[in-house]
Amino acid sequence: MNRNDLRRVDMNLLVIFEALMFEKNLTRVAEKLFMGQPAVSAALGRLRDLFDDPLLLRNGRGMEPTARALAILKELQPAMDTISGAVSRAKEFDPATSCEVFRIGLSDDAEFGLFPPLLRQLQEEAPGIVVVVRRANYLLMPALLASGEISVGVSYTTDLPANAKRKKLRDIPCKVLRGDKRPGTLTLDEYCERPHAMVSFSGDLSGNIDLDLAKLGRTRRVVLGVPQFSGLRALLAGTEMIATVPDYAACALVEGCGLRAEDPPFPIDAAQLSMAWSGVHDNDPAERWLRSRISQFMSVPLPIPA
């Protein structure tokens, strides 16, 4: 196909093709791209004609890409990234007048403990923008960045897509939250004997803290697992339960209530909170502004209210 033949190709079809390869579901693609499902179905038909391949085949109750579709995606994605980056760099960005839609991935602890002051700053500088937050932990982040559902994410991270970039924001020291009225700080024995509540994204009831305790030949007793940090305030108040959480989550949780936070009675290896973003957006003026504000407001340690 020469350059003149490219005029016959609708770029919108290629965007829909990429979404179909990741979602493998017409309804989800319609929701993601703000289209009707019949329009997505019609686009799939046109894509099948364009590439002379079924592209997606029924597999039980779901759909799976054909080998040809996956090969096309592998070739097409870098080209679309290049086009997207070139268009982005051509834009100027003025926060005061922008109506940009930013899609950010945040882990629950970052959303609960660090996002509110960041959002206030974004709205002050750029009152016309829209911010869409997606839940993103280290398990979800790679797929969200690879599919373009988010342009930047903040979380503890491990593996990332090949074109992603990462910047450490800060260490994640821990605090012990408690809602009882006993004076003094917890000893290691008391910490291990108390019932523990744990925030668990996956439903697991052990984590890095248990590995640190194991180094001392100790264990703790987790009696409650919850999916998000916001619930801890009501759950711990007036009980013997304790929870070990990132310091910035503790700062938000103790504010204006009966909980208090203290240092753990044993050393905990601090994980790292990182910002990760797609290389496609590396030089986008709007995205660079957003990342600068994330760095500014999510990397500074917060004081724990007394």
Side-chain angles (χ1 to χ4, degrees):
M1 179 178 286
N2 59 39
R3 291 288 191 271
N4 194 46
D5 291 333
L6 281 174
R7 295 168 57 196
R8 298 186 291 105
V9 179
D10 182 351
M11 187 69 185
N12 291 322
L13 281 180
L14 303 184
V15 174
I16 295 170
F17 170 78
E18 184 181 44
L20 284 167
M21 292 302 101
F22 283 107
E23 297 295 341
K24 304 171 190 175
N25 182 286
L26 271 64
T27 301
R28 286 200 298 268
V29 170
E31 292 172 351
K32 177 181 176 181
L33 299 181
F34 304 102
M35 300 171 61
Q37 185 172 330
V40 175
S41 181
L44 177 58
R46 293 172 63 192
L47 284 163
R48 285 167 167 164
D49 289 339
L50 177 65
F51 293 119
D52 193 23
D53 187 86
L55 300 179
L56 284 172
L57 296 174
R58 286 283 174 194
N59 182 8
R61 299 181 65 180
M63 302 182 78
E64 291 296 329
T66 65
R68 170 71 175 140
L70 293 175
I72 293 169
L73 178 66
K74 187 175 180 180
E75 292 185 6
L76 194 61
Q77 259 199 302
M80 293 182 68
D81 287 347
T82 300
I83 293 169
S84 179
V87 172
S88 295
R89 287 189 290 274
K91 297 187 300 182
E92 293 184 358
F93 178 71
D94 178 6
T97 60
S98 175
C99 295
E100 193 93 13
V101 177
F102 292 103
R103 299 185 182 275
I104 306 174
L106 296 176
S107 57
D108 183 64
D109 54 322
E111 180 184 349
F112 181 73
L114 296 173
F115 182 57
L118 168 64
L119 180 61
R120 287 192 288 270
Q121 182 65 25
L122 296 180
Q123 291 176 329
E124 180 179 331
E125 289 188 48
I129 67 169
V130 176
V131 179
V132 179
V133 175
R134 296 288 302 272
R135 179 59 45 81
N137 54 43
Y138 74 99
L139 296 171
L140 301 175
M141 184 82 76
L144 290 170
L145 285 171
S147 66
E149 292 177 71
I150 62 172
S151 61
V152 60
V154 175
S155 176
Y156 163 76
T157 58
T158 51
D159 297 328
L160 291 172
N163 73 335
K165 298 180 179 291
R166 173 169 27 201
K167 176 184 177 180
K168 176 186 172 182
L169 295 175
R170 51 168 291 170
D171 290 324
I172 310 177
C174 289
K175 294 286 185 179
V176 180
L177 280 178
R178 51 191 294 197
D180 62 275
K181 301 299 183 184
R182 296 187 192 181
T185 58
L186 294 170
T187 65
L188 179 58
D189 285 340
E190 289 170 333
Y191 180 92
C192 294
E193 291 166 2
R194 287 280 195 100
H196 287 251
M198 177 178 173
V199 177
S200 174
F201 306 113
S202 60
D204 293 335
L205 295 179
S206 64
N208 290 336
I209 290 168
D210 299 281
L211 298 177
D212 292 320
L213 279 172
K215 295 174 186 176
L216 304 175
R218 307 299 293 265
T219 60
R220 62 175 176 165
R221 182 167 58 98
V222 177
V223 301
L224 175 67
V226 294
Q228 55 194 26
F229 285 87
S230 58
L232 290 177
R233 181 179 285 130
L235 295 169
L236 297 183
T239 76
E240 291 291 295
M241 275 195 303
I242 57 177
T244 309
V245 303
D247 63 342
Y248 46 85
C251 181
L253 283 162
V254 301
E255 188 173 1
C257 74
L259 298 185
R260 66 189 195 270
E262 60 189 52
D263 291 329
F266 64 99
I268 295 176
D269 290 337
Q272 292 184 356
L273 187 72
S274 296
M275 174 172 64
W277 65 96
S278 170
V280 174
H281 302 289
D282 196 37
N283 292 313
D284 183 314
E287 293 289 338
R288 291 179 69 176
W289 171 80
L290 174 63
R291 293 196 302 270
S292 73
R293 297 304 179 267
I294 290 174
S295 294
Q296 179 183 354
F297 282 85
M298 290 192 161
S299 61
V300 179
L302 302 174
I304 305 293

